[in-house]
Amino acid sequence: MKHKIILTTCLLFLGATQALAETIEVGVNGMVCSFCSQGLTKTFSDMPQVSKVEVSLEKKNMHLEIKDGQTLSDEQIKKYVTDAGYEVDSIARTTKAAPNSK
């Protein structure tokens, strides 16, 4: 009986854990036109880790949503941004429970 209780408790705990969704805000210097923002959007949209990209020319930043269970390091972000001809000003990460993550 004790084994059943322990097993049930473990299964409930595992089922209750939620995946974490990560969003990354990247400050980008050097964007001057819509082609700049389109190029960064295409570059990061093609990455398998990224589920959504929003680039704001006006705010000089890029918002990335990372797929559950995936990672994108600061070094990778900096490499792709600098390879595209821009400079990373800042990187800020936010992690929260993903909706419908069960």
Side-chain angles (χ1 to χ4, degrees):
M1 183 68 175
K2 287 182 183 179
H3 295 304
K4 286 184 180 180
I5 293 172
I6 292 171
L7 180 60
T8 303
T9 304
C10 290
L11 290 174
L12 287 173
F13 176 77
L14 290 174
T17 59
Q18 295 182 334
L20 299 177
E22 183 176 33
T23 59
I24 305 171
E25 294 291 331
V26 183
V28 181
N29 289 328
M31 293 191 296
V32 295
C33 66
S34 63
F35 289 112
C36 298
S37 59
Q38 289 173 3
L40 284 175
T41 300
K42 171 130 177 57
T43 296
F44 282 90
S45 293
D46 290 344
M47 300 180 87
Q49 306 95 317
V50 178
S51 63
K52 185 177 181 182
V53 180
E54 293 176 355
V55 178
S56 172
L57 181 61
E58 295 78 26
K59 294 179 182 178
K60 306 285 189 217
N61 73 3
M62 178 172 54
H63 173 87
L64 303 171
E65 292 184 13
I66 306 303
K67 293 178 183 175
D68 292 344
Q70 299 288 316
T71 59
L72 187 60
S73 71
D74 289 359
E75 291 76 24
Q76 288 173 303
I77 294 168
K78 288 176 185 176
K79 179 188 181 328
Y80 284 102
V81 171
T82 56
D83 286 354
Y86 311 105
E87 181 183 318
V88 173
D89 181 47
S90 62
I91 298 176
R93 295 173 181 269
T94 306
T95 304
K96 62 181 177 180
N100 302 322
S101 58
K102 284 189 176 181

